[in-house]
């Protein structure tokens, strides 16, 4: 990380203040070249002090804007590198101009999340804390914010480190027993080791997994997936729910081939609603890819809105679709109800009759409020909001924690089967390495890319 990065750190567009952030070894020299303090001739900047002045183009001497500048000397900055932040008036043109000037002085445009990535790589925060930064940015309820803040403060990290240390002590004793088998009294008490693994370590890990399962919606969002055969009004329904024309509506079946996601905040929970490609038999290869993806989305759904056209009978394709809904929470949405001539005579198939059923007209915006209310009630009924412990592992952590539990059960099996210490130590060592993956001590580039790609530019 010898290069210097720069980005506009504030949202794009017009506003009161726009901030350009620079991090890396050239930060200070760039600042000295393009910023002139008012009332002072020198260009010496003390760390953590604000300076008023202007940003100017040293080539033409043209003043670009009045500005406030702050210098944060390494290592006392977010990235642990020399950091400069320049506050100017926020306008797309002015910010772009200044950024281009900074780039012409030798910095390069930062990638999404690169400032936080540097904070992580330079050891200012661990990976769980870096992940908390994105959770704070995305938080849209006070509960979600509290959880993210707890993770940023390092509460999850400390817990993982504590568990890791306990395992490390066990591993050290086992290794000593392997290296010095002749010293009888130093042999680890294997019954006690088994007890610690079961009632302390595995117990704590399972508690964390349960925390994820109960509360992950607060962080990751509650996933609602709209499915149905083509042309029943799925895209229209999404638009009505989110109250804007996001999905393309067309009379031509098969218009939604990519996936449109919208976020809503329902009772403080982020709800992600996805419109999927209409499920039907097709010879069109592009549509077929969309349909395959629809089934993948269906798997991930916390709630499915199965949309049908109320003005016509259930088709064979719709009845076939029912087998993909087993074990899922499903609402049956009878859309196009404006076209129904009373009395409503459509026969709902037996396996759908017990579903919570709603009548809507996406075209005329009818029944949409009741649908949103039903989603809200379902979330409240299904999920717990009494968060006593703010430590909530995310999906990445949870998957690793599950591997840890499996490994430790395998170690216990080895203990029970009186396997040699060498064999027991393998599972324990692997579990310690898995903890390092959570903390980011040992982590592959793909995982890092997946985490930091979720950030915005300038963070
Ligand atoms: P999708 O293929 O299931 O996503 O369906 P679209 O949302 O693209 O809608 C297909 C057609 O049905 C369009 O012409 C819509 O205007 C129409 N449509 C959607 N919802 C309704 C409704 O509630 N009532 C009526 N009469 N037409 C609707």
């Amino acid at each position: 990380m010898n290069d210097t990065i720069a980005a506009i750190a504030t949202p794009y567009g017009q506003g009161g203040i726009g901030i350009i952030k620079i991090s890396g070894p050239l930060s200070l020299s760039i600042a000295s070249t393009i910023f002139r303090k008012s009332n002072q001739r020198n260009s010496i900047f003390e760390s953590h002090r604000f300076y008023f002045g202007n940003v100017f183009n040293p080539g033409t001497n043209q003043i670009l804007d009045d500005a406030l500048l702050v210098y944060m000397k390494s290592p006392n900055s977010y990235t642990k590198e020399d950091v400069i932040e320049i506050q100017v008036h926020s306008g797309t043109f002015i910010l772009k101009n200044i950024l281009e000037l900074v780039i012409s002085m030798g910095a390069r445009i930062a990638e999404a999340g690169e400032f936080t990535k540097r904070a992580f790589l330079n050891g200012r925060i661990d990976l769980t804390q870096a992940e908390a930064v994105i959770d704070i940015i995305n938080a849209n309820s006070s509960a979600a914010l509290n959880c993210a803040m707890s993770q940023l403060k390092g509460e999850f990290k400390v817990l993982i480190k504590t568990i890791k240390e306990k395992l490390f002590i066990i591993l050290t004793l086992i290794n000593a027993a392997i290296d010095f088998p002749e010293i009888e009294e130093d042999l680890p008490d294997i019954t006690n080791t088994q007890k610690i693994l079961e009632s302390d370590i595995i117990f704590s890990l399972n508690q964390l997994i349960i925390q994820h399962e109960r509360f992950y919606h607060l962080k990751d969002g509650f996933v609602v997936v709209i499915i149905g055969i083509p042309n029943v009004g799925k895209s229209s329904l999404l638009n009505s729910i989110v109250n804007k024309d996001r999905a393309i509506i067309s009379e031509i079946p098969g218009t939604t081939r990519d996936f449109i996601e919208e976020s809503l905040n329902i009772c403080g929970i982020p709800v992600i609603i996805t419109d999927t490609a209409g499920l039907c038999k097709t010879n069109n290869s592009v549509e077929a890819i969309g349909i395959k993806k629809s089934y993948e989305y269906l798997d991930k759904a916390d709630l499915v809105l199965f949309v049908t056209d109320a003005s016509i009978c259930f088709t064979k394709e719709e009845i076939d679709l029912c087998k993909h809904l087993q074990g899922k929470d499903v609402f049956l949405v009878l859309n196009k109800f404006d076209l129904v001539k009373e009395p409503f005579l459509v026969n709902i198939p037996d396996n759908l009759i017990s579903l919570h059923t709603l009548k809507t007209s996406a075209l005329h915006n009818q029944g949409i409020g009741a649908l949103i209310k039903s989603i809200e009630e379902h979330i409240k009924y299904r999920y717990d909001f009494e968060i006593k412990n703010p430590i909530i592992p995310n999906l990445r952590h949870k998957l690793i924690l599950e591997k840890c539990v499996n490994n430790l059960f395998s170690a216990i099996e080895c203990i029970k089967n009186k396997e040699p210490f060498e064999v027991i130590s393998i599972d324990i060592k692997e579990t310690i390495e898995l903890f390092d993956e959570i903390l980011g001590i040992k982590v592959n580039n793909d995982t890092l890319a997946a985490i930091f790609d979720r950030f915005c530019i300038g963070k």
Side-chain angles (χ1 to χ4, degrees):
M1 287 170 294
N2 289 328
D3 54 352
T4 299
I5 54 172
I8 298 167
T10 38
Y12 193 74
Q14 293 169 337
I17 296 170
I19 300 177
I20 287 149
K21 196 153 132 182
I22 315 169
S23 177
L26 295 180
S27 302
L28 191 57
S29 72
I30 292 175
S32 314
T33 317
I34 66 165
F35 181 86
R36 204 162 18 212
K37 291 187 220 169
S38 62
N39 305 328
Q40 282 180 47
R41 281 177 178 268
N42 71 47
S43 58
I44 297 164
F45 298 101
E46 280 177 44
S47 186
H48 293 81
R49 265 197 65 181
F50 263 107
Y51 292 94
F52 178 67
N54 53 56
V55 179
F56 70 103
N57 184 330
T60 60
N61 219 12
Q62 185 203 354
I63 291 177
L64 301 179
D65 198 2
D66 284 348
L68 275 174
L69 180 145
V70 64
Y71 163 49
M72 285 160 271
K73 187 172 163 53
S74 164
N76 298 319
S77 71
Y78 185 63
T79 55
K80 277 190 130 184
E81 301 173 336
D82 273 354
V83 168
I84 292 283
E85 284 181 13
I86 306 173
Q87 296 186 4
V88 289
H89 295 103
S90 180
T92 313
F93 184 69
I94 177 69
L95 285 167
K96 189 171 153 285
N97 253 355
I98 298 175
L99 182 64
E100 277 171 7
L101 185 61
V102 170
I103 301 303
S104 73
M105 303 273 141
R108 71 165 168 81
I109 303 251
E111 290 163 19
E114 201 173 358
F115 292 94
T116 308
K117 192 173 183 180
R118 287 189 174 200
F120 161 67
L121 293 173
N122 291 329
R124 192 186 193 302
I125 50 175
D126 81 328
L127 200 53
T128 67
Q129 290 169 303
E131 288 171 301
V133 174
I134 189 78
D135 290 341
I136 287 174
I137 293 170
N138 290 338
N140 55 7
S141 69
S142 54
L145 187 60
N146 281 347
C147 297
M149 280 309 295
S150 138
Q151 194 166 313
L152 184 67
K153 277 191 277 165
E155 290 178 16
F156 179 54
K157 168 181 84 173
V158 169
L159 193 64
I160 291 296
K161 278 187 167 171
T162 312
I163 302 174
K164 182 181 151 185
E165 256 146 44
K166 286 181 188 171
L167 266 188
F168 199 74
I169 292 170
I170 294 177
L171 184 67
T172 312
L173 285 172
I174 292 178
N175 282 343
I178 295 169
D179 293 342
F180 309 103
E182 65 286 357
I183 311 173
E184 280 274 319
E185 63 271 22
D186 283 350
L187 286 184
D189 175 352
I190 212 69
T191 330
N192 195 36
T193 303
Q194 184 182 333
K195 222 191 277 165
I196 297 173
L197 288 179
E198 267 170 351
S199 57
D200 183 352
I201 298 179
I202 294 182
F203 177 80
S204 306
L205 297 178
N206 276 335
Q207 290 297 105
L208 285 170
I209 294 169
I210 291 169
Q211 275 285 106
H212 169 87
E213 268 148 20
R214 278 176 69 186
F215 299 116
Y216 75 91
H217 297 96
L218 276 179
K219 282 181 164 183
D220 301 352
F222 182 91
V223 179
V224 176
V225 174
I226 303 178
I227 62 145
I229 60 170
N231 227 21
V232 292
K234 298 181 295 302
S235 305
S236 309
L237 193 73
L238 174 80
N239 287 340
S240 285
I241 294 173
V242 299
N243 207 8
K244 54 187 158 175
D245 289 337
R246 176 71 174 80
I248 307 157
I249 296 164
S250 152
E251 286 170 5
I252 308 154
T255 338
T256 310
R257 286 180 183 154
D258 58 347
F259 294 82
I260 295 170
E261 278 188 358
E262 282 289 345
S263 297
L264 282 183
N265 183 333
I266 299 184
C267 54
I269 301 282
V271 176
I272 298 139
I273 305 194
T274 309
D275 177 23
T276 61
L279 298 168
C280 59
K281 290 207 169 63
T282 181
N283 294 327
N284 179 316
S285 57
V286 179
E287 202 175 358
I289 295 170
I291 291 170
K292 187 167 167 274
K293 275 236 154 250
S294 296
Y295 284 114
E296 287 170 21
Y297 272 86
L298 192 58
D299 276 346
K300 287 192 243 159
D302 296 309
L303 174 67
V304 179
L305 302 184
F306 180 12
V307 183
T308 63
D309 181 341
S311 65
I312 54 170
C313 289
F314 277 81
T315 64
K316 185 179 172 308
E317 276 166 331
E318 285 177 314
I319 294 167
D320 287 349
L321 228 168
C322 296
K323 61 175 179 288
H324 295 280
L325 303 177
Q326 273 166 14
K328 292 256 148 217
D329 290 335
V330 184
F331 287 177
L332 179 62
V333 182
L334 304 173
N335 190 41
K336 303 200 185 182
F337 218 79
D338 54 295
L339 299 179
V340 170
K341 310 256 179 313
E342 293 290 352
F344 175 58
L345 293 173
V346 167
N347 275 335
I348 299 177
D350 286 349
N351 43 357
L352 297 181
I353 207 110
S354 61
L355 295 181
H356 181 57
T357 303
L358 292 126
K359 295 167 184 169
T360 59
S361 167
L363 189 66
H364 298 294
N365 235 343
Q366 282 162 359
I368 305 301
L371 173 60
I372 294 175
K373 187 92 198 121
S374 292
I375 297 174
E376 177 181 334
E377 276 163 9
H378 177 78
I379 296 175
K380 281 186 178 156
Y381 161 75
R382 204 75 164 75
Y383 298 95
D384 196 344
F385 295 102
E386 287 277 317
I387 304 171
K388 294 193 183 78
N389 173 3
I391 299 179
I392 303 178
N394 64 23
L395 182 62
R396 181 183 82 84
H397 307 147
K398 182 222 162 192
L399 295 174
I400 301 177
L401 292 170
E402 283 174 342
K403 280 191 205 163
C404 292
V405 169
N406 286 341
N407 273 353
L408 295 178
F409 273 128
S410 154
I412 290 173
E413 267 314 295
C414 293
I415 293 173
K416 284 184 184 158
N417 295 338
K418 302 200 179 351
E419 303 263 7
F421 283 132
E422 282 85 346
V423 179
I424 302 169
S425 75
I426 295 171
D427 285 321
I428 296 186
K429 209 163 140 248
E430 270 178 22
T431 312
I432 291 174
E433 282 169 6
L434 286 169
F435 287 134
D436 287 347
E437 231 177 89
I438 293 183
L439 300 170
I441 296 168
K442 268 188 204 155
V443 69
N444 64 39
N445 286 339
D446 289 348
T447 307
L448 285 188
I451 291 170
F452 289 102
D453 279 356
R454 294 172 57 219
F455 278 75
C456 44
I457 302 274
K459 186 61 212 171

